[in-house]
Amino acid sequence: MQDNNTIHTLSSATINQIAAGEVVQRPASVVKELTENSIDAGATQIDIVVQDAGRTFIKVIDNGKGMSAEDSVKAFERHATSKINDAQDLFSLRTMGFRGEALASIAAVSRVEMFTKRESDELGSHVEINGGELALQEFTTCKNGTQIIVKDIFYNIPVRRKFLKKNETELRNILNVFQQVALVYPSIGFTFSHNGSVLFNLKKENFRQRIASVCGEKTGKELLSIDVDTVLAHISGFVSTPASAVKKQPSQYFFVNGRYIQHPYFAKAVAMGYDKILPQDSKPQFFLYFDIEPDKIDVNIHPTKTEVKFEDEQLLFPIIVSAVKEALASSCSMPSLMFDQEDKIEIPVSVNDYDNLKQPPVTHNTSYNPFSLHQQVSTGGSAKRSVEGWESLYSSSKPTEGKEPVPQYETSEEPLIKSKPAFNGFTFDGKYIVCATEKGLMIINAYRASVRVLYDKLSNMIKSGKSVGQSVMFPEVIEFNQLDNTTFKSLKSSFEAVGYKFEPFGQTAWQIAAVPSVVSDSEAIEIIKDLTADSDGTSVEDVLRESILVRLAEKGASKSKSLTMEMASELVESLFSTKMPAYTPQGNAVYYVIDSETIKNKIG
Ligand code: ADP
Ligand code: MG
C-alpha cells in the first residue's frame, strides 16, 4: 500500500550529520574541538599532526587525564559530556567545549579512531567509529592520555567534501585556530606538523614569549603590557608600540575566559586608544585577555562561538581606550634630556653680577645662533672652567627672558643660587630645537611640539570641565545656509565643549559670544566654518571633539612665529610632560633622534 504520509522520522545517522554541520564546518573545526578537549583534560603537551590540510588526516595527541573504557565509547554519543549537568551550567562554564556534541559530530562525518588511557588504569581503550557507527572497541596498551585520529572528513557527505576550499585556505584556517589556542595557553607545550614538516614547536613559556613564538620575534619585542582590574572584568595582555603597527594582516586577538573571540566594537576601542598616532594605513597589533564572570557574557550567540556578547560592552569600551592610552604613554620611550643633574646649575643672583662678566671677544648677531645664545656659567665645586669653542654647545644656558641674546660670559666666584637644571640645547633654522639626550642628538620640530602640547592642554581642560573659552569683545555673527545650519546644530555641543559660546541670531545665524582662548577670534570663526563645511553631520561626538581640538591646537601653535631660547626650553619641558610626546595628535613625528651609535659610526 502506498504511504501517503509525508512526515517521517529521520534516522539518527542523518540527524547526527545535520547537527554535525553546525559544529564541523571544516577541518579547522575538528582541530579546534579536539585541541580544546585536550586542554579541558588537563594536558600539558599537545601534538597535532595534519595531512592535506586536514582533508585526509588529523591527529591530536595529549597527555591529559584520559578516559575509562566505558567513557571512551560514551564520549561519542550525542550530548555526552562530563562538563555540564543542566542548562544552568551553560551560563557558568569556564571550560572550552560545553555542548557535548563535538565528538559525536566529528564521528558522524568521518572515520575516527581513538586510543585513551587514564593513569590509574592498566590498559587503555581503542575505539573505532565510522560515520557515527561504532566499529570496534578493545582494550589495548597505550600511553596515558588521549590520541584521536580523524580521517577522511566528510567522506560520507560528498556535497560537504566538495565545498572544502583549496588546501592553502583550509590549512590557513587550521593554523588560525591553532594560533588562537596556543596564544591562550603558553604553559602548554604544542607541536604542529603538516605533511611531515614541523610548523610549530612551542615549549612551555610565558605570554610574551608565546606571542613571539607564534607571531614572530619582531611583534613579540614591541609589546606594551596592559593590566587593568575593574569590577566588570580583568583585562590583561599586550598592545603593539605605534612603531610596530603593520599595514597588512595585523595580529589582533581578543580572548575571553581563555577563548578567542572576535569583537569589532572593542577593536574600535583599541584603535581609539592609539589616538591617531599610528602611521597612515597602519593597524595596531594586540593581544587582550578578558577575565569575566561567565554570567556577564553570552557565548552562545554564534554556533562557532567566536562572537561573544558582553553585558557591559558600553562600560568596557572607555576602559579599553584608556588602558591602551596608558600603555602607550608609559612606553613613549621618553629619552631623558641630558640635564646636568648632579651638579645643579647655578646662575648669578642679580643683574649686578653682569658687571663681573668678561665680555667675550666675539660679537653676536640677532638671529638664532646657538653660539651667541650660550652662556658659560660656573657649576660650582666639580665644575671645570668653561672653554670657548665647540664644548660651549653642550653647556647650559640661562633663559634670555625674551630680551636680546646675552653674549657669552664667564662668571667669577660670586654668590650663586641653586636653580633647576637649565635647558641644554639650541634652536636651529628658527623652527627646530636641538638638544642632547641620553640616546643621542634630538631634533625637535617646534611647531609640532607646540601642537602636541596645546592639544594635551586643551583636552585636559575639557576633561577637568574647566572652561577654555573667553568672551569675544565684539561678537560676530556667523550665517549659514539651511543645510550647513543643520550640520552646525549637530556640531554645536561639541564646539561648546571646547569653549565656544553661541547665541541664536535669527533663523540660520548665530552670534559668537565666546571662543577658545588659544586662538584668535577670527581663527575661531574660521574653524567653525571649515569644520561645518567638512562635516556630513554624522560623526560621533568624541571623534568630532577631537578634530576640533586638533584644529585648535594647530592654529594656536602656528601663532608663535619666532622661537626664543626661553620658549624652546619651556616647550621641551612641556612636550615631555605630555603623555605622547613622540607624535602629534595627527600622527606626525615630533622629533628625530640621531642616536649616539650612528654618530660614533660616522665620525668616531
Ligand atoms: P564536550 O567537550 O562539550 O563535553 P565533546 O564531544 O567534545 O563534548 O567531548 C565529550 C566528552 O568526552 C568530554 O566531556 C570529555 O569527558 C571526554 N573527552 C573528549 N576528549 C577528551 C580528551 N582528549 N581527554 C579526556 N577526555 C576527553
Ligand atoms: Mg569538547
Side-chain angles (χ1 to χ4, degrees):
M1 210 181 113
Q2 213 198 323
D3 184 359
N4 285 325
N5 297 332
T6 49
I7 297 176
H8 54 269
T9 314
L10 296 168
S11 75
S12 78
T14 312
I15 293 170
N16 278 348
Q17 281 183 9
I18 292 169
E22 219 187 276
V23 181
V24 188
Q25 291 163 336
R26 48 175 32 95
S29 337
V30 174
V31 173
K32 179 177 150 93
E33 295 293 340
L34 295 184
T35 312
E36 290 185 344
N37 279 348
S38 296
I39 291 167
D40 284 345
T44 58
Q45 178 64 41
I46 300 173
D47 300 301
I48 302 164
V49 181
V50 172
Q51 267 166 30
D52 307 317
R55 213 179 276 268
T56 54
F57 187 94
I58 296 168
K59 175 158 79 173
V60 175
I61 307 162
D62 71 51
N63 63 353
K65 65 176 189 239
M67 284 171 258
S68 67
E70 197 182 323
D71 280 353
S72 71
V73 175
K74 252 200 212 150
F76 291 94
E77 287 167 14
R78 181 147 305 274
H79 309 306
T81 176
S82 54
K83 295 166 197 170
I84 53 170
N85 289 315
D86 59 41
Q88 189 51 42
D89 285 353
L90 272 176
F91 299 99
S92 57
L93 212 77
R94 278 182 189 272
T95 51
M96 291 299 216
F98 46 75
R99 297 197 289 195
E101 40 185 16
L103 288 186
S105 300
I106 292 166
V109 298
S110 65
R111 300 182 226 270
V112 175
E113 191 173 4
M114 177 168 84
F115 297 88
T116 185
K117 177 175 138 14
R118 299 182 297 184
E119 202 178 354
S120 54
D121 292 336
E122 195 123 324
L123 286 176
S125 170
H126 175 203
V127 181
E128 273 182 34
I129 294 168
N130 297 325
E133 304 292 331
L134 183 68
L136 169 86
Q137 194 277 316
E138 60 178 13
F139 285 96
T140 182
T141 48
C142 61
K143 283 204 285 187
N144 293 336
T146 303
Q147 168 176 341
I148 300 186
I149 301 154
V150 175
K151 282 182 283 195
D152 303 327
I153 187 171
F154 301 137
Y155 80 99
N156 52 351
I157 316 179
V159 212
R160 304 281 314 265
R161 194 165 172 86
K162 227 173 49 201
F163 273 106
L164 287 179
K165 305 254 165 60
K166 56 183 196 293
N167 276 7
E168 297 96 88
T169 312
E170 295 297 347
L171 180 62
R172 190 162 357 104
N173 285 322
I174 293 175
L175 286 173
N176 281 341
V177 160
F178 172 74
Q179 296 183 355
Q180 287 156 12
V181 175
L183 283 169
V184 187
Y185 294 95
S187 60
I188 299 179
F190 288 92
T191 65
F192 183 99
S193 30
H194 182 245
N195 289 349
S197 53
V198 180
L199 302 186
F200 286 98
N201 184 357
L202 308 172
K203 302 272 179 279
K204 172 181 168 28
E205 53 199 344
N206 66 29
F207 273 107
R208 197 183 271 271
Q209 292 162 334
R210 179 56 58 90
I211 292 170
S213 310
V214 172
C215 302
E217 289 298 326
K218 202 165 151 259
T219 301
K221 249 191 220 138
E222 299 276 338
L223 296 176
L224 310 169
S225 62
I226 279 185
D227 197 342
V228 273
D229 212 3
T230 74
V231 282
L232 301 173
H234 177 226
I235 308 169
S236 60
F238 303 92
V239 292
S240 61
T241 59
S244 67
V246 293
K247 290 227 159 82
K248 281 199 185 117
Q249 300 184 326
S251 298
Q252 300 191 328
Y253 292 91
F254 287 120
F255 304 94
V256 173
N257 295 348
R259 176 182 283 276
Y260 167 80
I261 59 152
Q262 289 176 316
H263 210 293
Y265 182 63
F266 286 169
K268 216 175 186 174
V270 175
M272 258 183 95
Y274 279 81
D275 209 7
K276 295 202 211 137
I277 61 163
L278 291 180
Q280 267 221 310
D281 313 325
S282 292
K283 299 182 184 87
Q285 313 206 77
F286 56 80
F287 306 84
L288 292 179
Y289 302 80
F290 293 77
D291 266 312
I292 191 163
E293 285 306 319
D295 61 355
K296 290 202 182 306
I297 48 175
D298 180 5
V299 245
N300 288 315
I301 58 167
H302 196 271
T304 56
K305 297 169 264 171
T306 58
E307 270 160 39
V308 167
K309 185 102 191 79
F310 287 68
E311 209 177 276
D312 300 307
E313 263 166 18
Q314 309 279 344
L315 299 173
L316 282 165
F317 189 94
I319 294 176
I320 299 169
V321 177
S322 63
V324 173
K325 280 193 175 170
E326 202 119 301
L328 291 168
S330 68
S331 83
C332 235
S333 54
M334 228 166 280
S336 54
L337 295 171
M338 285 226 272
F339 291 126
D340 205 352
Q341 295 287 4
E342 277 161 32
D343 315 297
K344 293 238 164 153
I345 312 296
E346 292 152 309
I347 54 169
V349 191
S350 67
V351 184
N352 291 342
D353 294 322
Y354 285 87
D355 296 339
N356 295 318
L357 305 180
K358 246 194 333 196
Q359 287 298 319
V362 288
T363 51
H364 65 270
N365 61 42
T366 46
S367 68
Y368 298 110
N369 183 331
F371 292 90
S372 67
L373 282 171
H374 270 270
Q375 20 181 354
Q376 302 295 322
V377 287
S378 154
T379 52
S382 63
K384 295 182 205 77
R385 283 252 130 178
S386 43
V387 288
E388 279 177 38
W390 66 269
E391 277 168 283
S392 63
L393 267 181
Y394 297 87
S395 69
S396 322
S397 68
K398 176 183 173 287
T400 57
E401 275 151 4
K403 294 189 201 121
E404 279 276 271
V406 180
Q408 280 187 329
Y409 63 92
E410 288 180 23
T411 60
S412 59
E413 307 299 317
E414 287 300 307
L416 297 166
I417 51 153
K418 302 252 173 199
S419 80
K420 84 181 176 147
F423 168 63
N424 183 3
F426 60 90
T427 61
F428 166 66
D429 213 10
K431 59 187 227 194
Y432 302 109
I433 303 165
V434 182
C435 44
T437 73
E438 275 173 352
K439 289 185 169 173
L441 202 58
M442 174 183 274
I443 304 162
I444 301 169
N445 180 322
Y447 165 70
R448 290 184 181 180
S450 315
V451 174
R452 167 47 78 192
V453 169
L454 257 184
Y455 175 86
D456 277 39
K457 202 166 128 192
L458 288 167
S459 65
N460 285 339
M461 280 169 141
I462 291 185
K463 265 184 221 136
S464 66
K466 275 193 219 139
S467 161
V468 290
Q470 100 194 340
S471 31
V472 174
M473 198 100 83
F474 307 102
E476 266 202 54
V477 171
I478 185 166
E479 176 131 44
F480 295 111
N481 62 32
Q482 277 296 345
L483 196 68
D484 282 353
N485 192 50
T486 318
T487 311
F488 172 75
K489 278 198 281 193
S490 71
L491 309 185
K492 191 166 154 277
S493 66
S494 297
F495 279 119
E496 282 164 349
V498 302
Y500 283 95
K501 231 183 237 142
F502 304 99
E503 310 287 352
F505 199 88
Q507 284 286 308
T508 62
W510 301 82
Q511 188 169 59
I512 301 166
V515 300
S517 51
V518 294
V519 290
S520 71
D521 297 358
S522 61
E523 283 167 339
I525 292 169
E526 203 183 312
I527 291 174
I528 300 174
K529 285 182 181 157
D530 285 359
L531 288 175
T532 305
D534 288 353
S535 172
D536 55 3
T538 60
S539 302
V540 218
E541 196 151 300
D542 281 353
V543 178
L544 189 74
R545 253 172 227 185
E546 196 155 295
S547 56
I548 298 175
L549 285 187
V550 169
R551 283 301 303 272
L552 287 172
E554 285 174 351
K555 277 269 182 248
S558 65
K559 270 204 303 204
S560 27
K561 289 284 180 290
S562 60
L563 185 62
T564 64
M565 279 303 286
E566 188 188 20
M567 286 158 63
S569 158
E570 235 167 57
L571 186 55
V572 171
E573 195 171 315
S574 320
L575 175 66
F576 287 101
S577 50
T578 66
K579 282 191 165 179
M580 202 80 70
Y583 300 91
T584 67
Q586 294 285 60
N588 295 317
V590 171
Y591 52 76
Y592 173 69
V593 178
I594 307 174
D595 62 284
S596 317
E597 205 53 28
T598 312
I599 298 176
K600 217 172 272 163
N601 285 344
K602 296 272 180 203
I603 52 173

